[in-house]
Amino acid sequence: MKKLTYILFLIGILSFGCTEGWVDLNEDPNNATDVPAGTILTYVERAASETLWDVWWTGNNTSSYANHISKIQYIDESRYVERETIIQRWGTLMTYQTDLKKIIKKAQDEEDPNPQMEGVAKVLSAFLYHIMTDTWKAIPFTQGAQGEDGVMAPAYDDQPTVYSGLLTMLDEANTLLQQEGNIEGDILNRGEAMLWRKFANSLRLRVAIRMSNVDPTTAGNVISTILGNSSAYPILESNDDMIALQWTESSPYREPFFEDQLTRDDHGMCETFIDALLHTNDPRISEFAHPAPVDEVYRGLVAGIAEEDEGSFQINQISRIGTRYRDNPDNLTYWMRYAEIEFIKAEAYERNLATGDAQAAYEAGVTASCEEHDVAPGQIIAYLSDPNVAWDDNTGDYGYTNLEKIYFQKWISLFKQGHEAWAETRRTDIPQLNAAPGSPYSGHNRPPFRWPYPTYEYNLNPGVPEQWDGEIVDRFWGDQMWWDTRTGVN
Amino acid sequence: MKKLTLVFSLFVLSGLSVLFAQAVVISGTVTSSVEGEGPIPGVQVVVKGTTIGTTTDIDGNYSLSVPEGTETLVFHFVGMKTVEEKIEGRTTINVVMEPDVLGIDEVVVTALGITREKKALGYSVTDVSGEELARVKDANIVNTLQGKVAGVQITNASGAVGASSRLLIRGINSFGDNQPLWVIDGTPISNRASGAGQWSGVDYGNDAMDIDPENIESISVLKGANAAALYGSRARNGVVMITTKKGRAREGLGVVFSSHTTFDNVMFLPAYQNDYGQGVNGSEYIFNLRKEAGSIPADMTYQEYAANYGFKYVDGLGGGVFDGVDESWGPRLDVGLLIDQFHGENQPWVSHPDNVKDFFVTGVNSSNNLSITAGSDKVKGRLSYTNLYQTGTIPNTDQKRNTINATTTVNVGDRITAEVNFNYVNTSNDNLPGQGYDVQNVMQSIGGWFGRQVDIKLLEEHWEEWVTKPNGDRYPYNWNSNYHNNPYWTVYKNTASRERNRVFGNAVLTYRLNDWLDLMGRYGLDYYNEFRKSVTYEGSNDKAVGTGGSFSQNERNRREINTDVFLNFDRSIGTDFEVSGNVGAHYRRYDYLYMYLAAAELTVPNFFDVANVKGTPSTDMYESHFETNSVFGALNVGFRDYLFLDLTFRNDWSSTLPKDNWSYPYPSASLGWIFTETFGIDQSFFSYGKLRASYAKVGSDTDPYRLTATYDSYTAFAGLTQFSFPGTIPPANLKPEMSTSMELGGEFKFFMNRLGLDIAYYNTVTNNQIMSVEVSRSTGFNNMLINAGEIETSGVELLFYADILKSRQGLNWTTTINWSKSKTMVNELAEGVESYTLNSTWSPTTVEARPGEPFGQIYGVGYERDENGNKLVEDGFYVKTSGAPVVCGNIMPDWVGSIRNDFRYKGLNLSFLIDAKWGGDIYSVTKWFGDYAGITQTTVEGGIRENGIVAEGIDVNTGNPNEVAVAPQSFFSDYWGATEPAVIDGTYVKFRELSIGYDIPVQNLGFLRNLNVSLVGRNLGVLYLDESNDIRIDPETGYGTGTTAVGIEQYQIPPVRSLGFKIRAEF
């Protein structure tokens, strides 16, 4: 019996004694529990550039809605037959907000504060929320990305609330960026606080001009304040101030359109865009597009051609996207270009939202865009005097007013910024676009107004999206954006 | 480890002190009571209550050293009644064994490898003999269990060589892992599966396939928590207990050679159409419509139309007329058209009905085994070598396996027995096929997105050639250069290879303290190193010329140590009570190391070395470690040989849980009552009746490193490291999952065992599921890890057998039926969680668990119906549901069953097995995109390409049956965005196994003792498929072995039919 006791004792030791060191044993050796804020910033800038400006989001959807790009094979998305996985990038965008919150938290560290980094995170946060609200309308803004704090069913905010929040957020960022600090891991703006301030204020202009039809007072105040004090509110001043991500030569971080064309040939130029460039003798056409392989003629394809007409063209009769936008691995992804700022100024002056020389701003915008596309100075001068472009009401093939010419030139300058071009065509209706002929949703006279909420929001955020869902008709239409004051469109 | 060594040395020392104790040698002969049968070889002779024992030799003789004080010897032999003999001072004990007509003394291996009489169990255990498993061998042992055990459901991942198989015992218990634990000779081994994903990947099989059926004495399937309570957490889903063949005391050497060779062919293929070829708008219906609409001249011939509007090959990239398209909506075949094709201009536009079939080849599966056994009463051993060589039905795919298995048992003195079981397995593959919805899966092109007119022979003859396109770019010879590789290019160039070296086994030391108590220590190891490399050649569809090709390789090391020490006791108390059981402790250590490197592009084309990378190589490293400790005890009380009570208790400590929750205890109890014995019922009619009841709880831990959030890392961008906060909110206080099971059952035998029925009902409730639930993405996260929810599985199992004919000299016929039904309900999820996504596939389709609904609902977009259930049609198309997703099916089968017939006439035997799965829906991408791409028979039936398709349903505009015809290509492309048209009923009935064997009389040959030849076949045919499976995919197949990998099919590799022969010779 003594032996037995001894054995039982051993069994006891074996099992009870061995938990020592277990806390360490279960500490993950593969992943870090804390990382520098700069590494998160690099991630968000790179990942967001892929999410928002790859062929799936921009090429298939937003640039197609804006009639810049057409799908020429597997035309589904150009016909608004979308993939839920792209709509579900809602979630991807929201996880970036979580990452930005982490940066802000680290930057607010009492021992080692870094207000500049906080400012950067706020600019990015506002930028991403702005795209979300212009895509889905009501979004969870004030309660968004607070899952770690237990907010599991964030309420949605209407657009006036979101817009006002964005203006505040960007103003705060401009202030923070003037304080002490350093910006690390920044692959978008080279770690330059001044460039981030310009980006913040320029983005504020973008937000303000968008809401200018429905809240001209606020918009006018914001725009006048910014344009009236360039030292307190610096903005983009030249093409050198372009906010863009430059990709690398080699895999895995090559420009997304380049990466796609290695294996797919689904995207060509849209007929509306090519026709507009041809009509106006646009010198940028050879930069935007390649002539069609078959006959070296610039030719676009209707966005979302009807199925029965699919046999009426061959893809080599269609122009492909130009070299600087598709054919180099280290091309740019454009977050914001200088020309847009001049067009915002021109519009604000023309509509008396602020005081200034509209024509000068307009011509500066056209010039900036042409220079960006390496158009020779002589050609720019000629182009500016073409009746289609010249600052002269109701001239040219389309008979546009000066304001409409601003809108038209802005639309051209936003090539491959699908989201912004789509938003502006919804706001200005210039150029006037038609719904895709091959759309399965009949009775619509304009491209989509908005995206449907991703299905998982219906399952997982009970009650919240339903009140907004009632506004949606045929997935992509229904109630217009708050700032979309077009009438007679559906 | 240090502690472990200490325990072992103490253990050994304590044993040595009694090494020289007195021993008695007992010998004798065992004979059969049946006239003419004489001595019985292979009878187990065991000192009662211990594992000390031997077996009788060829002449029925045995000799055994028994420790002093031994009272009783027990004689076991399958098919004979167990005999217990009191020694009472004798040194010669001769025994006569009687046939066990009732089969009630059958012994089975239970938890911890303890052999027990089946009658004493209060729960369900099914035994399958090694002979039955080896009869018709499959390279994967899991498949050989198909249809042999009630309550077990087996799913083969694919028809590819080396593919994994999934084994489920009593359905689903968890949202996580539902695979049973595999135990060999008392030591757990890995059955980790490396299946393909639904979007891509290679199926590297499941680890248990390293076990050669030739080395198996028997398999006991312990079903559910009740049977497995002593193995703890990992046995919650049941245990597959394998006992390997051991050496026997015998004269001379026993040599067995067996050779098993089958020829494997594709069993069946999807139903393709052969009426229309590649292209778009080519049908007569569209041709006529266009004529009517005036969009083509009224006098245009069909030849002119077809060659200019339907299909015209220029570059296979979209440069011609629909020549980039990989769909078959083109012109009609076999009506004399001449059309420009990939192999030349103005080629006859004719069908090649066997173009898919002709791609596949006959695979060979050859397994040769040689084993040698030898032994005395002191030392016994068995050595076995198996060589498996297998080639797949897909060209250039293979699997080779060499297995060495050695077991040695040494009796040291009369108190100590040492046993070593050792296995070395080398598995290598030069190439395994790509699977899933991926360009590397040949079925994605030839079986899915295909031009039905393509002549596969041309692709085979020219696959190594290159073609220069009009724009100057070079491409490999192929029918389409837009989306696909030439399938021969894929299988010969883009290979995925693997090499694995694995060692597993254990060392067992048993020390007998006295005649009712022994102490056992066991150290078990399972270690492997595996190396995998996949290469993609430049010129492949996703690696254009200029990229140089790509590769990835990885290495993994996995090691698991299981150590246990336990004390067994077994003694009688008075004449009425028999008490046995054990107390013990268990320690488990798991270590895993993984390294990966890959180059997406290469500088020197097709030189697959990391030094040759263009850009930055992708790399990854991962390691994982954890430990568990346990103590356990079991008490089994038998009363008068008819009432049996088992009690067990176990406490686990797991390092993967939070400190406060490391420890979790759980109990089990079971009761068996042989009422026919109690009441002395007349055996000639009601020969045997037993009732069983049991209850068990089993806790379960989680994977390591799940308690805190850690940042995800990404390949550096221009030298800058990138991290992001993870998408999963970590758990606050993770607790172990807990399953509570009960089982009621009975075993009834009639007419002296000619007829038997075993029936069981079970119910398992698992709560505190450790699950990663989806959260609203607006929270900034995708998931949250929580402990919540409750799922409940209940089911019925039925085993029926009948010896319809029984005659010693004449014809014997036995029928065995297995049937089981199980249903899993989701009782609740976490508060506020309405749905848990188990799996998702093509949007908008998901497989979900929702409270109050059965597990595994397929949700997505369906078709609207009126109140009578008729589908609604608008403008000729079905109206899709909008808004919240609707239920379109359920992946869980209604029941599974099998029927087996064995015939024996003297030396000749025939047996065949038919098995069935009823119900269980499948989301079939082969069906969905097959119809979409116009390759299936469905897309031509009823003259729809001539006249248009009129959807069956009610027209929403008229309220009457729909009369609007639309073009089939539009109708079927409207499948996009809908779930319902992809869902089919997965019912099947299959002719699973056939074996016709003959024992060739070899009495006159002295050296040869037994010779058997047999004709064997597996998966011989499919006898029934549901009509909704009009595509005719194999409904058995899932893409992997995960809980919900069944129910989704993406371009499956077709199932395989095997037919061959087996020779077995004993010398």
Side-chain angles (χ1 to χ4, degrees), chain B residues 839-1019:
Chain B
N839 203 348
S840 59
T841 179
W842 290 89
S843 173
T845 306
T846 51
V847 180
E848 295 186 16
R850 294 195 182 194
E853 295 186 21
F855 180 92
Q857 300 275 65
I858 300 174
Y859 270 92
V861 171
Y863 289 137
E864 296 283 4
R865 286 176 165 77
D866 66 12
E867 58 275 21
N868 301 319
N870 299 306
K871 286 183 204 165
L872 298 182
V873 183
E874 186 173 17
D875 303 333
F877 295 93
Y878 287 128
V879 181
K880 292 171 190 167
T881 58
S882 55
V886 298
V887 177
C888 297
N890 187 291
I891 64 166
M892 304 296 287
D894 299 334
W895 55 262
V896 293
S898 69
I899 177 162
R900 171 181 206 91
N901 280 287
D902 294 281
F903 299 91
R904 183 165 194 95
Y905 180 75
K906 293 182 175 164
L908 194 65
N909 64 64
L910 176 140
S911 90
F912 64 89
L913 173 69
I914 288 166
D915 78 325
K917 178 187 86 166
W918 211 263
D921 294 317
I922 295 172
Y923 178 84
S924 169
V925 170
T926 303
K927 154 87 181 154
W928 193 45
F929 280 152
D931 287 353
Y932 184 108
I935 60 154
T936 61
Q937 182 61 30
T938 312
T939 63
V940 297
E941 249 160 12
I944 53 178
R945 293 214 196 180
E946 292 91 326
N947 307 314
I949 182 167
V950 182
E952 213 171 287
I954 300 296
D955 191 324
V956 292
N957 297 321
T958 65
N960 296 322
N962 172 51
E963 290 172 351
V964 180
V966 293
Q969 69 186 43
S970 310
F971 180 82
F972 290 109
S973 70
D974 196 49
Y975 277 14
W976 179 253
T979 304
E980 187 171 326
V983 176
I984 59 171
D985 181 316
T987 297
Y988 69 77
V989 180
K990 281 188 178 181
F991 187 0
R992 182 68 61 183
E993 258 185 43
L994 170 74
S995 147
I996 303 168
Y998 181 57
D999 290 318
I1000 297 169
V1002 288
Q1003 287 89 332
N1004 300 332
L1005 298 171
F1007 66 94
L1008 192 61
R1009 290 197 289 149
N1010 261 315
L1011 181 62
N1012 179 280
V1013 291
S1014 46
L1015 177 73
V1016 294
R1018 278 191 73 75
N1019 301 328

Side-chain angles (χ1 to χ4, degrees), chain A residues 1 3-4 6-8 10-20 22-23 25-36 38-44 46-47 73-74 76 81-85 88 90-92 94-95 98-99 102 106 140 143-148 151-154 156 185-187 245-248 250-254 259 262-266 294 307-316 320 455-462 469, chain B residues 3-4 7 10 17-18 281 290 309 315 317-322 324-327 449 482-483 511 513 517 519 541-544 547 565-567 583-587 589 600-601 614-616 621-631 653-657 659 662 704-705 707-718 720-725 729 774-782 784 832 834-835 842-843 848 850 883 885 932 969-970 973 976:
Chain A
M1 222 49 214
K3 219 178 282 169
L4 187 61
Y6 185 47
I7 290 159
L8 288 174
L10 279 179
I11 290 173
I13 286 192
L14 179 72
S15 33
F16 292 97
C18 266
T19 53
E20 123 200 5
W22 270 16
V23 173
L25 183 67
N26 203 30
E27 215 158 76
D28 192 344
N30 309 294
N31 296 298
T33 47
D34 193 22
V35 298
T39 62
I40 308 175
L41 182 65
T42 314
Y43 166 77
V44 173
R46 188 270 303 167
Q73 298 197 73
Y74 284 85
D76 303 341
V81 178
E82 91 292 7
R83 286 179 189 239
E84 174 74 12
T85 46
Q88 287 179 352
W90 163 287
T92 314
M94 289 306 293
T95 63
T98 299
D99 284 312
K102 291 284 164 192
K106 285 172 190 295
Q143 292 187 5
Q146 292 169 25
E148 244 191 332
V151 184
M152 302 317 289
Y156 284 36
D186 179 18
I187 53 177
L245 186 103
Q246 179 163 20
W247 296 90
T248 64
S250 56
S251 176
Y253 298 123
R254 295 184 292 212
E259 194 70 41
L262 291 173
T263 54
R264 308 284 301 202
D265 187 12
D266 296 344
V294 159
E307 219 171 302
E308 55 268 27
D309 294 331
E310 228 177 291
S312 65
F313 76 97
Q314 292 163 19
I315 61 167
N316 283 346
R320 301 298 198 281
T455 35
Y456 53 49
E457 274 297 291
Y458 296 106
N459 295 336
L460 300 166
N461 197 351
D469 185 42
Chain B
K3 219 162 277 165
L4 198 65
V7 171
L10 287 170
S17 64
V18 288
N281 296 335
R290 288 197 170 176
Y309 291 83
D315 55 12
L317 290 161
V321 177
F322 298 120
V325 166
D326 50 359
E327 301 179 21
W449 298 102
N482 217 0
Y483 306 116
Y511 169 52
L513 289 153
L517 200 57
L519 179 65
N541 184 262
D542 49 350
K543 288 291 156 204
T547 60
V565 179
F566 55 96
L567 198 61
V583 289
H586 175 254
Y587 163 80
R589 167 87 193 188
E601 295 196 351
K614 201 192 277 179
T616 318
M621 51 193 277
Y622 178 80
E623 58 186 282
S624 172
H625 312 275
F626 65 84
E627 289 182 356
T628 58
N629 294 332
S630 315
V631 288
W653 288 258
S654 168
S655 71
T656 64
L657 293 166
K659 193 169 183 184
W662 278 343
Y705 319 134
L707 307 181
T708 43
T710 56
Y711 283 83
D712 299 326
S713 65
Y714 300 83
T715 305
F717 183 99
L720 292 171
T721 316
Q722 300 178 71
F723 285 106
S724 84
F725 200 68
I729 304 173
E774 272 189 285
V775 294
S776 161
R777 304 304 196 277
S778 308
T779 60
F781 291 86
N782 305 323
M784 177 167 64
E834 297 298 315
S835 150
W842 290 89
S843 173
E848 295 186 16
R850 294 195 182 194
Y932 184 108
Q969 69 186 43
S970 310
S973 70
W976 179 253

Side-chain angles (χ1 to χ4, degrees), chain B residues 41-61:
Chain B
V43 175
Q44 280 183 20
V45 187
V46 188
V47 174
K48 190 173 180 189
T50 73
T51 54
I52 297 173
T54 183
T55 49
T56 57
D57 65 13
I58 184 73
D59 299 316
N61 297 323

Side-chain angles (χ1 to χ4, degrees), chain A residues 162-209:
Chain A
V162 178
Y163 265 72
S164 130
L166 293 175
L167 291 173
T168 312
M169 205 175 194
L170 290 164
D171 197 23
E172 284 167 12
N174 180 46
T175 309
L176 287 162
L177 283 157
Q178 294 172 60
Q179 297 173 28
E180 292 287 298
N182 60 314
I183 302 165
E184 290 161 353
D186 179 18
I187 53 177
L188 193 62
N189 290 335
R190 308 179 289 268
E192 292 172 17
M194 177 49 87
L195 191 50
W196 277 102
R197 286 182 65 196
K198 289 178 175 179
F199 184 25
N201 297 316
S202 301
L203 188 54
R204 221 159 154 246
L205 287 178
R206 180 191 277 184
V207 172
I209 202 77

